[in-house]
Amino acid sequence: MKALTYHGRHDIRFGDVPDPAVTGPADAVVRVTAAGICGSDLHIYGGNGFSADLGYTPGHECVGVVVDTGGQVTRFKPGDRVLVPASVGCAQCRQCAAGFTARCERATSSTELCYGVSPKLQGSQAQALAVPCADVNLVHLPEDISDEAAVVLTDNAPTAWYGCRRARIQPGETVLVVGLGPVGLMAAQSAFAMGAARVLGVDLVAERRAFAAGLGVEPVEGDDVRAAIRDMTAGRGPDAVVEAVGSDATIELALKAVRQAGRVSVIGVSQNKSFPFHMYLAQVKELEFAIGLCSVHYELPPLIALTRARTDQARGRGLPPFRPLRRAGGVRTVRRPLRRRPQDRARPDGLTAPPSSLSGVQPVS
């Protein structure tokens, strides 16, 4: 089959690689119909990968169709349309059973938790992909969600939602998003969905700031970003900051910009093993600091529901689950509840998880 392979800094090649195969009774092979490029793929492209290996296929964002399964796979069959979460679970440990695949207790290294960061799990920028523990690591894709909409559900949107959830955004709050790439833009939308009254956005690229403004984000302009943030928040600072870049400078900005007793959530990938965390600043400001990798399986249920609600709206059959409205002095969010069904399961964050939307994973009760 054809695939991309990584051979060193700025050296990505397109060519023939061996076809993936079912090597274990719980595995499956998926024909890729849509794939994405993540910011972490750019780390690899720039020579700052997550392993020293060469020659492997990168990528961990894809949707497709099952073409083969092992004898122990019970939830999927050839022809099923599926979403492949970027995070990979073992289907056996306590954390994976709860949906927290990024915390897998059986993984011996982080390269076993994601496709396309080493040869251990070949990536999805290829015509087909081998999926281990398929009953847990595949998700049935509803017919009313397109490949284009679904591919962002494999990593980008769940990571953004995860970052906002860990920031504990409350209705009426002001949120700052640092970095307005795809994940940052989705973090802004997630913040509105969770009830933020205002979302401010920081990015060096003017075009990104302008695009974010079209989504209801208030761009932070000017050379002195911290001063501009203070001015926009009457000297108080935002209630929560979601950092979606991962550089030392942007994490430091998040820590310094947030208000007293505020909350900082970092979802940008940082490879710095000696970040100079300002412990005294955090203690004096009584900050809450969260950082981590998203367990896509756990975050998916509300996002699938939101995506389907948006699809219904586009077809003229429903109302949006949230809608930002511009008003003098900021952005107000009107929240409408998702339509609940008797079989919907309650989640600890108050959202509902349709059981058909996530194969093999049960929300934590």
Side-chain angles (χ1 to χ4, degrees), residues 80-227:
D80 285 349
R81 187 163 168 262
V82 293
L83 177 156
V84 185
S87 54
V88 183
C90 72
Q92 298 178 43
C93 76
R94 176 177 57 94
Q95 295 286 1
C96 288
F100 296 110
T101 47
R103 307 176 191 171
C104 179
E105 296 169 347
R106 296 171 63 89
T108 58
S109 77
S110 61
T111 57
E112 297 177 20
L113 299 174
C114 184
Y115 302 98
V117 294
S118 82
K120 292 182 179 180
L121 286 171
Q122 295 289 346
S124 59
Q125 290 168 15
Q127 290 181 310
L129 176 73
V131 178
C133 304
D135 277 342
V136 164
N137 290 317
L138 293 177
V139 175
H140 283 288
L141 191 55
E143 289 301 319
D144 56 352
I145 296 181
S146 68
D147 282 4
E148 183 180 24
V151 75
V152 300
L153 297 175
T154 60
D155 186 19
N156 285 346
T159 295
W161 187 268
Y162 162 81
C164 289
R165 184 173 63 78
R166 295 203 72 194
R168 296 194 301 103
I169 295 169
Q170 303 298 312
E173 289 191 325
T174 296
V175 176
L176 172 68
V177 175
V178 180
L180 297 174
V183 173
L185 292 172
M186 292 183 211
Q189 292 177 301
S190 297
F192 281 130
M194 293 179 183
R198 300 175 66 199
V199 176
L200 316 183
V202 171
D203 199 285
L204 294 175
V205 181
E207 290 81 5
R208 287 184 172 186
R209 297 197 301 272
F211 188 90
L215 299 176
V217 175
E218 300 174 51
V220 178
E221 305 288 356
D223 295 331
D224 191 336
V225 172
R226 286 183 58 198

Side-chain angles (χ1 to χ4, degrees), residues 16-58:
D16 293 310
V17 301
D19 292 346
V22 171
T23 58
D27 300 348
V29 173
V30 172
R31 174 173 59 84
V32 175
T33 57
I37 298 176
C38 181
S40 55
D41 295 328
L42 300 181
H43 284 255
I44 296 171
Y45 177 70
N48 300 308
F50 304 92
S51 76
D53 300 292
L54 301 175
Y56 63 89
T57 295

Side-chain angles (χ1 to χ4, degrees), residues 160-170 173-176 191 194 239-243 258-259 261-267 288-291:
W161 187 268
Y162 162 81
C164 289
R165 184 173 63 78
R166 295 203 72 194
R168 296 194 301 103
I169 295 169
Q170 303 298 312
E173 289 191 325
T174 296
V175 176
L176 172 68
M194 293 179 183
D239 301 290
V241 180
V242 179
E243 195 279 345
V258 73
R259 67 163 170 81
R263 304 174 303 278
V264 173
S265 176
V266 175
I267 50 177
E288 295 181 35
F289 183 83
I291 187 171

